[in-house]
Amino acid sequence: MTDPQIWIGFFTLVALEIVLGIDNIIFISILAGKLPPEQRDRARVLGLAAALISRLLLLLGLSWVVQLTEPLFAVFGHDISGRDLILLLGGLFLLAKSVTEISHSMDAPGDKDGKKAAAASFASVIMQIMVLDIVFSLDSVITAVGMVDELGVMIAAVVVAVLVMLFASGPISRFVDKHPSIKMLALAFLVLIGVVLVAEGMGQHIPKGYIYFAMAFSVIVELLNIRMRSRHAKELEPEETRDQA
């Protein structure tokens, strides 16, 4: 506890875990947004609880996680490991889900039996969150193993990071639901992350810094657009009122 290197490693790992969890929060927020308002908070909590449990289980099974990086077979001269397979399948699932959500967002709203669809979708939403949690958790745990040697520090950092994500997920979800353009941008991010996962699974490493910088830059631009549209709407409102008078 008195070793400063332990604390430096802890706070650095917490920061990295939060950054790596951004895509997880986006995915959970979009899926939870499809549920009725009274079920969304419960879905986010269950989703992040599943993320925490999967991370802790992977940390406790460090020997198994290390074995995942060992080659299983080769395709066209490229070694494929268990980690590669998980990333590849997870990336394909994320791509399919993101493209489907984009297609649904562009369709006209309408549901003949909304209550039945909502009730049936809660279990499917949780299952989809749990599937992607395994993929995101694997990447997160491998990062933790590479940075810190102490298992206790890894577990503490993961718990703190997930708690931060839990408090942040509510405001992020409400903001995404309030602004459709942000939701579409978030879905585009998930498509990008899916492509990155597929590339990683095929042995093509893409530095995450470039991805997160592009995401942050796009969000800043979209926030400026939202602010500009809001100001223009306030400026036009008195003119419309005068025209009606």
Side-chain angles (χ1 to χ4, degrees):
M1 294 294 290
T2 58
D3 188 356
Q5 294 299 323
I6 294 292
W7 289 103
I8 292 173
F10 170 76
F11 287 114
T12 304
L13 188 55
V14 168
L16 283 176
E17 291 289 329
I18 293 173
V19 171
L20 290 173
I22 290 174
D23 43 15
N24 207 346
I25 293 177
I26 293 173
F27 185 75
I28 292 174
S29 299
I30 290 175
L31 286 182
K34 299 176 62 178
L35 297 171
E38 64 273 11
Q39 294 183 349
R40 292 174 186 173
D41 289 338
R42 187 155 59 100
R44 284 195 297 269
V45 171
L46 288 176
L48 287 171
L52 176 60
I53 293 172
S54 60
R55 280 166 168 78
L56 294 179
L57 289 177
L58 287 173
L59 282 173
L60 294 175
L62 284 179
S63 59
W64 180 74
V65 172
V66 172
Q67 291 177 359
L68 284 177
T69 59
E70 297 178 358
L72 297 176
F73 54 89
V75 178
F76 300 112
H78 172 65
D79 292 331
I80 302 295
S81 65
R83 174 182 178 271
D84 294 333
L85 285 176
I86 293 175
L87 292 179
L88 182 60
L89 294 175
L92 291 174
F93 174 77
L94 189 58
L95 278 172
K97 186 62 185 176
S98 303
V99 172
T100 302
E101 290 298 323
I102 290 175
S103 177
H104 289 169
S105 297
M106 297 178 68
D107 291 339
D111 187 2
K112 294 181 180 179
D113 194 3
K115 292 184 179 179
K116 183 177 180 180
S121 67
F122 185 82
S124 65
V125 164
I126 298 301
M127 287 300 299
Q128 292 174 60
I129 291 173
M130 291 178 66
V131 169
L132 261 297
D133 277 342
I134 295 174
V135 179
F136 293 141
S137 297
L138 182 64
D139 193 20
S140 174
V141 168
I142 289 175
T143 300
V145 173
M147 282 195 59
V148 181
D149 295 329
E150 296 292 334
L151 179 61
V153 175
M154 297 180 201
I155 292 176
V158 167
V159 171
V160 171
V162 172
L163 289 176
V164 172
M165 290 162 56
L166 179 62
F167 285 107
S169 64
I172 290 176
S173 297
R174 288 188 288 271
F175 186 76
V176 169
D177 291 337
K178 184 178 179 181
H179 301 282
S181 60
I182 289 290
K183 181 178 180 179
M184 188 61 68
L185 185 62
L187 288 170
F189 288 162
L190 293 179
V191 172
L192 179 61
I193 294 167
V195 172
V196 171
L197 290 177
V198 171
E200 292 275 353
M202 298 177 67
Q204 302 297 321
H205 178 67
I206 301 176
K208 297 292 179 62
Y210 294 124
I211 304 301
Y212 291 124
F213 176 80
M215 292 170 61
F217 181 78
S218 301
V219 169
I220 291 172
V221 172
E222 186 56 33
L223 291 176
L224 291 174
N225 283 331
I226 291 174
R227 182 177 177 83
M228 181 182 66
R229 288 194 295 266
S230 177
R231 292 185 63 179
H232 286 178
K234 290 180 180 179
E235 292 175 357
L236 292 175
E237 186 175 355
E239 296 181 6
E240 294 177 356
T241 303
R242 286 194 299 268
D243 292 338
Q244 292 177 356

